[in-house]
């Protein structure tokens, strides 16, 4: 990373140098200036990061690693025919160079994810390990193990099912892909360097255009003799809105800011310069947004606005070729399909690549990220509870600045009425709130629909006293063996049990071939169910499960993979008819009518009051070569737009301010 500070110095000295040459002054002045520039360049910031992706040697046997085969990292062995169900150790090896200019630097290897256990060896010495938290990013300091020139890096990886891992043993419904599944980098910094900068952009809802940036700086070394200078800019325009000195913890008030919203994802960058003993030692840049999230007994509250959210869940790692080592292009293709289907709200059962959250920050999808703790078979031992706190430490600190993340999930379909689980959930809930008081803490029980009023001897589902809303995976017509007709009364009973909290439908859908009827049944039931949810005023949101068919170690066999046929597109991203229906029911517009009136084409539409419902700002309607802007449309309001008749075009397209199509309406 080249520091702009150097450019300023360099340009300054070059100008003087040219002037001196032009004036024909003595040579020793030139030498002095060159020495001054060189010394400043040597002592200044030199944060460098280089990719270690690419060709590594791989083997499942350490003894044969030297004669192993070449693979491309990121990599998982579980997409390979002979290793699809291999759950054990894999060994990776590659060489890397340490330049002489890195002498005296701190050298670290950054792993964006190694699933699920990793032991890192440098030149034959164990430099560090990362155990039981295979989807989180981590760093290994290798400074004392390396030398100038060529060095060897070996990583032992295990994806063996384990009771000391989260997810617990084989209790999870996605693929158990082992390997170095995300990017690897080598990082060189001065000793006084930034590990991370955590920024909470809190908008002032009263003014609508001001806010506070709460900033905490974490260093790799103590703060002694360190000074911080910072600058905040608009991310898109580069316009500077604040510049000044920072402390370890800061609260900076700013005027004329733009809020972050799924329809207006405004971002800001903060750059921090670290001066140690008066010399620039490091430069670090991060992004954030001004966004506030809350929940009432009936709605999510986004930047002060009550909203009802509709979305889908996407199961990453479903690339037949790459599995959990999906490329950035594959990740973004799936995200675009989500947003094109009007998805603005989702959840992940496990922690994702930074590229996913960067894209959601830039394009507007709200996410709940979860500890991958899934299913009633999970046993909450003291070891597992401690490991869960490690997950929370890593995921919250590492992704704190992403405005797209609105909630931390502490489990899915767990036995929260049981003592061991309740103990763990209480500790995780408190730990998450201590780390981050700005987001929701949510959790899904496996028995929330087993109503205490129907079972007088049954204890309260005490886990839900910890959750900011009631999350319910609603599968009455499938896994619960009943029908869609059972849903309205079931939702009312849950609401009566927990009247002070909003209800969120955290999953609903149909899985083939376990449940018959295929995509026609999927279409029919998703339309029926979203109508039911929308008519219940206490339902704040719904997440369809899932947008894609996905790979899972507990799925049905096909070829060399296992999968669940649960989605609106297949594992090759071929769309099914249900995809367009999902898009339609997820749109925030209803009561659409088109008519001819006095030589004009009129489009009449209303803001949806069911799910989803939120205020539309600056949506664009296109008819032929004509465009009109919907400046504001609130839920329940109706507008009529008038256009000159265009006999060559019989459709209207409605777009979000971010450019994604909401609907295409044909006469």
């Amino acid at each position: 990373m080249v520091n702009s500070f150097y450019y300023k110095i360099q340009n300054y000295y070059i100008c003087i140098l040219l002037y001196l040459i032009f004036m024909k002054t003595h040579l020793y002045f030139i030498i002095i200036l060159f020495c001054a520039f060189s010394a400043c360049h040597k002592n200044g910031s030199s944060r460098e990061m280089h990719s270690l992706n690419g060709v590594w040697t791989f083997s499942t046997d350490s003894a044969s690693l030297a004669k192993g085969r070449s693979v491309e990292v990121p990599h998982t062995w579980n997409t390979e025919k002979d290793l699809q169900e291999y759950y054990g150790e894999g060994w990776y090896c590659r060489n890397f160079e340490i330049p002489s200019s890195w002498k005296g630097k701190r050298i670290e290897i950054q792993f964006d994810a190694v699933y699920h256990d990793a032991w890192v060896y440098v030149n034959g010495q164990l430099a560090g390990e990362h155990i039981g938290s295979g989807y989180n990013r981590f760093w290994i300091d290798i400074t004392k193990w390396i030398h100038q020139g060529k060095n060897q890096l070996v990583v032992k990886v295990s994806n063996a099912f384990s009771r000391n891992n989260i997810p617990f043993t084989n209790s999870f419904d996605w693929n158990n892909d082992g390997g170095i599944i995300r990017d690897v980098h080598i990082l060189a910094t001065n000793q006084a360097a930034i590990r991370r900068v955590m920024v909470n952009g809190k908008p002032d809802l009263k003014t609508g255009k001001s806010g506070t940036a709460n900033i905490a700086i974490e260093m790799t070394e103590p703060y002694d003799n360190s000074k911080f200078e910072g600058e905040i800019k608009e991310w898109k325009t580069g316009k500077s809105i604040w510049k000044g000195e920072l402390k370890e913890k800061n609260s900076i008030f700013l005027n004329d800011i733009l809020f972050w919203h799924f329809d207006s994802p405004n971002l800001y960058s903060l750059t921090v310069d670290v001066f140690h003993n008066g010399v620039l030692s490091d430069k670090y840049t991060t992004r954030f947004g001004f966004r506030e999230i809350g929940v009432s007994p009936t709605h999510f509250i986004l930047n002060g606005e009550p909203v009802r959210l509709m979305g889908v869940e996407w199961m990453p790692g479903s690339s037949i070729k790459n599995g959990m080592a999906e490329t950035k292009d594959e990740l973004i293709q799936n995200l675009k399909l989500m947003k094109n289907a009007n998805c603005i709200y989702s959840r992940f059962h496990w922690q994702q690549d930074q590229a996913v959250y960067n894209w959601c920050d830039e394009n507007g999808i709200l996410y709940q990220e979860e500890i991958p703790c899934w299913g009633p078979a999970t046993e909450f031992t003291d070891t597992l509870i401690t490991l869960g706190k490690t997950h929370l430490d890593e995921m919250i600190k590492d992704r704190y600045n992403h405005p797209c993340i609105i909630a931390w999930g502490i489990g899915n379909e767990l036995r929260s009425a049981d003592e061991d689980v309740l103990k763990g959930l209480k500790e995780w809930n408190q730990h998450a709130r201590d780390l981050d008081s700005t987001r929701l803490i949510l959790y899904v029980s496996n028995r929330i629909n087993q109503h205490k009023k129907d079972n007088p001897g049954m204890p309260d589902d005490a886990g839900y006293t910890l959750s900011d809303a009631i999350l319910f995976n609603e599968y009455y017509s499938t896994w619960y063996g009943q029908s869609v007709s059972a849903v309205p009364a079931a939702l009312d009973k849950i609401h009566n049990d927990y009247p002070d909290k909003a209800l969120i439908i955290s999953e609903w859908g149909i899985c083939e071939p376990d449940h018959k009827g295929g995509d026609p049944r999927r279409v029919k039931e998703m339309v029926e169910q979203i109508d039911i949810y929308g008519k219940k005023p206490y339902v704040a949101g719904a997440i369809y499960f899932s947008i894609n068919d996905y790979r899972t170690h507990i799925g049905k066999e096909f070829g060399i993979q296992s999968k669940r046929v649960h989605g609106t597109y297949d594992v090759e991203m071929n769309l099914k008819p249900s995809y367009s229906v999902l898009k339609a029911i997820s749109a925030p517009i209803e009561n659409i009518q088109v008519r001819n009136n006095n030589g004009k084409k009129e489009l009449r539409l209303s803001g949806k009051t069911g799910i989803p419902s939120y205020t539309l700002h600056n949506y664009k309607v296109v008819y032929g070569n004509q465009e009109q802007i919907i400046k504001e449309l609130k839920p329940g309001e109706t507008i009529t737009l008038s256009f000159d008749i265009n006999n060559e075009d019989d459709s209207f397209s409605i777009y979000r301010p971010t450019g994604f199509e909401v609907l295409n309406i044909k006469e």
Side-chain angles (χ1 to χ4, degrees), residues 373-604:
C373 189
W374 188 96
T378 302
E379 297 176 7
F380 276 70
T381 63
D382 289 343
T383 298
L384 199 77
I385 293 172
T386 299
L387 181 58
K389 293 177 183 177
T390 298
H391 275 252
L392 289 168
D393 285 334
E394 293 177 340
M395 64 196 254
I396 292 176
K397 290 180 180 179
D398 208 22
R399 289 177 270 285
Y400 185 88
N401 295 351
H402 290 288
C404 68
I405 299 177
I406 61 168
W408 305 115
I410 56 173
N412 183 57
E413 298 183 358
L414 301 176
R415 301 173 284 105
S416 62
D418 294 356
E419 239 179 81
D420 64 324
V421 178
L422 184 57
K423 177 179 183 294
L425 288 175
K426 284 181 177 178
E427 293 192 30
W428 288 356
N429 172 72
Q430 188 59 54
H431 196 69
R433 294 187 191 279
D434 289 344
L435 290 168
D436 185 1
S437 62
T438 71
R439 290 178 171 90
L440 305 174
I441 309 297
L442 300 172
Y443 141 82
V444 184
S445 167
N446 76 328
R447 56 172 294 277
I448 193 66
N449 60 323
Q450 298 173 24
H451 309 287
K452 57 188 179 184
K453 292 180 181 178
D454 297 337
N455 300 276
M458 187 176 72
D460 290 352
D461 192 343
Y464 266 112
T465 63
L466 310 172
S467 185
D468 288 317
I470 306 299
L471 271 64
F472 176 42
N473 293 351
E474 190 276 284
Y475 289 115
Y476 271 95
S477 68
T478 54
W479 303 117
Y480 299 167
Q482 299 186 44
S483 68
V484 172
S485 63
V487 174
L491 299 185
D492 286 341
K493 284 187 175 182
I494 294 173
H495 175 63
N496 290 336
D497 283 349
Y498 305 94
D500 297 331
K501 293 189 177 183
L503 177 62
I504 298 167
I505 308 301
S506 42
E507 291 182 25
W508 51 293
I510 174 173
C511 181
E512 307 169 58
D514 300 80
H515 306 284
K516 308 303 179 184
D519 210 50
R521 179 182 174 186
R522 181 175 291 108
V523 167
K524 177 179 180 294
E525 293 193 1
M526 70 164 60
V527 171
E528 292 173 346
Q529 285 165 289
I530 196 63
D531 182 61
I532 292 169
Y533 306 152
K535 289 176 178 176
K536 300 297 182 182
Y538 50 78
V539 177
I543 300 175
Y544 189 79
F545 187 86
S546 72
I547 196 169
N548 64 323
D549 295 345
Y550 62 94
R551 296 172 60 250
T552 171
H553 71 96
I554 61 174
K556 304 298 180 182
E557 296 297 323
F558 72 110
I560 65 166
Q561 303 286 350
S562 298
K563 70 175 181 179
R564 284 197 189 277
V565 181
H566 226 309
T568 64
Y569 60 82
D570 65 21
V571 290
E572 301 288 352
M573 289 188 267
N574 298 307
L575 304 184
K576 306 175 188 179
S578 55
Y579 178 86
S580 61
V581 177
L582 177 67
K583 177 173 182 169
I585 67 173
S586 302
I589 297 168
E590 61 185 355
N591 300 327
I592 301 166
Q593 300 174 21
V594 179
R595 67 172 186 170
N596 294 330
N597 184 19
N598 294 326
K600 295 285 187 178
K601 185 78 70 175
E602 290 185 345
L603 174 66
R604 185 176 184 272

Side-chain angles (χ1 to χ4, degrees), residues 309-416:
L309 301 177
M310 171 65 190
V312 296
E313 189 167 341
W314 158 47
M315 297 293 280
S318 295
S319 164
I320 296 299
K321 178 182 177 182
N322 299 308
M324 287 291 184
E326 282 172 308
T327 66
K328 301 296 187 289
D329 285 345
E330 287 174 317
L331 295 172
I332 290 171
Q333 285 178 50
N334 281 277
L335 288 164
K336 286 181 176 178
L337 284 170
M338 293 177 68
K339 189 71 178 189
N340 282 327
N342 288 309
C343 172
I344 55 167
Y345 171 48
S346 190
R347 59 192 285 239
F348 283 128
H349 291 312
W350 66 96
Q351 304 93 341
Q352 300 301 314
D353 191 291
Q354 292 286 342
V356 171
Y357 300 113
N358 288 339
W359 194 93
C360 293
D361 283 345
E362 295 168 16
N363 294 279
I365 297 179
L366 303 171
Y367 259 110
Q368 172 178 318
E369 179 174 276
E370 301 176 7
I371 301 173
C373 189
W374 188 96
T378 302
E379 297 176 7
F380 276 70
T381 63
D382 289 343
T383 298
L384 199 77
I385 293 172
T386 299
L387 181 58
K389 293 177 183 177
T390 298
H391 275 252
L392 289 168
D393 285 334
E394 293 177 340
M395 64 196 254
I396 292 176
K397 290 180 180 179
D398 208 22
R399 289 177 270 285
Y400 185 88
N401 295 351
H402 290 288
C404 68
I405 299 177
I406 61 168
W408 305 115
I410 56 173
N412 183 57
E413 298 183 358
L414 301 176
R415 301 173 284 105
S416 62

Side-chain angles (χ1 to χ4, degrees), residues 604-623:
R604 185 176 184 272
L605 45 86
S606 303
K608 189 177 286 185
T609 55
I611 292 177
S613 64
Y614 45 85
T615 301
L616 281 59
H617 293 282
N618 299 316
Y619 278 48
K620 181 170 68 175
V621 181
V622 177
Y623 172 63

Side-chain angles (χ1 to χ4, degrees), residues 188-405:
T189 66
N190 288 321
Q191 295 301 320
I194 291 176
R195 165 62 71 221
R196 63 175 57 86
V197 177
M198 298 171 69
V199 187
N200 168 28
K202 183 176 176 60
D204 184 340
L205 303 179
K206 293 180 180 178
T207 65
K209 278 198 169 184
S210 62
T212 303
N214 297 306
I215 301 167
I217 302 170
E218 182 180 326
M219 298 284 289
T220 56
E221 291 290 321
Y223 289 89
D224 298 345
N225 302 317
S226 291
K227 178 183 176 183
F228 309 103
E229 292 184 0
E231 183 174 18
I232 297 175
K233 295 181 178 180
E234 293 179 355
W235 177 66
K236 286 186 178 179
T237 67
K239 175 186 175 183
S240 179
I241 65 168
W242 179 87
K243 193 172 184 179
E245 186 173 348
L246 295 169
K247 302 296 182 184
E248 296 175 32
K249 294 185 178 180
N250 306 263
S251 188
I252 299 169
F253 181 79
L254 298 163
N255 280 312
D256 298 322
I257 62 165
L258 300 171
F259 292 1
W260 189 96
H261 183 278
F262 53 78
D263 274 339
S264 52
N266 300 297
L267 294 168
Y268 292 84
S269 66
L270 167 66
T271 298
V272 179
D273 290 338
V274 181
F275 293 89
H276 189 67
N277 293 324
V279 176
L280 182 67
S281 180
D282 194 20
K283 179 184 285 284
Y284 185 97
T285 299
T286 188
R287 291 192 317 191
F288 68 99
F290 291 91
R291 190 265 301 129
E292 186 173 272
I293 189 69
V295 66
S296 75
T298 57
H299 290 76
F300 286 96
I301 311 297
L302 178 62
N303 297 333
E305 179 192 358
V307 297
R308 303 177 80 188
L309 301 177
M310 171 65 190
V312 296
E313 189 167 341
W314 158 47
M315 297 293 280
S318 295
S319 164
I320 296 299
K321 178 182 177 182
N322 299 308
M324 287 291 184
E326 282 172 308
T327 66
K328 301 296 187 289
D329 285 345
E330 287 174 317
L331 295 172
I332 290 171
Q333 285 178 50
N334 281 277
L335 288 164
K336 286 181 176 178
L337 284 170
M338 293 177 68
K339 189 71 178 189
N340 282 327
N342 288 309
C343 172
I344 55 167
Y345 171 48
S346 190
R347 59 192 285 239
F348 283 128
H349 291 312
W350 66 96
Q351 304 93 341
Q352 300 301 314
D353 191 291
Q354 292 286 342
V356 171
Y357 300 113
N358 288 339
W359 194 93
C360 293
D361 283 345
E362 295 168 16
N363 294 279
I365 297 179
L366 303 171
Y367 259 110
Q368 172 178 318
E369 179 174 276
E370 301 176 7
I371 301 173
C373 189
W374 188 96
T378 302
E379 297 176 7
F380 276 70
T381 63
D382 289 343
T383 298
L384 199 77
I385 293 172
T386 299
L387 181 58
K389 293 177 183 177
T390 298
H391 275 252
L392 289 168
D393 285 334
E394 293 177 340
M395 64 196 254
I396 292 176
K397 290 180 180 179
D398 208 22
R399 289 177 270 285
Y400 185 88
N401 295 351
H402 290 288
C404 68
I405 299 177

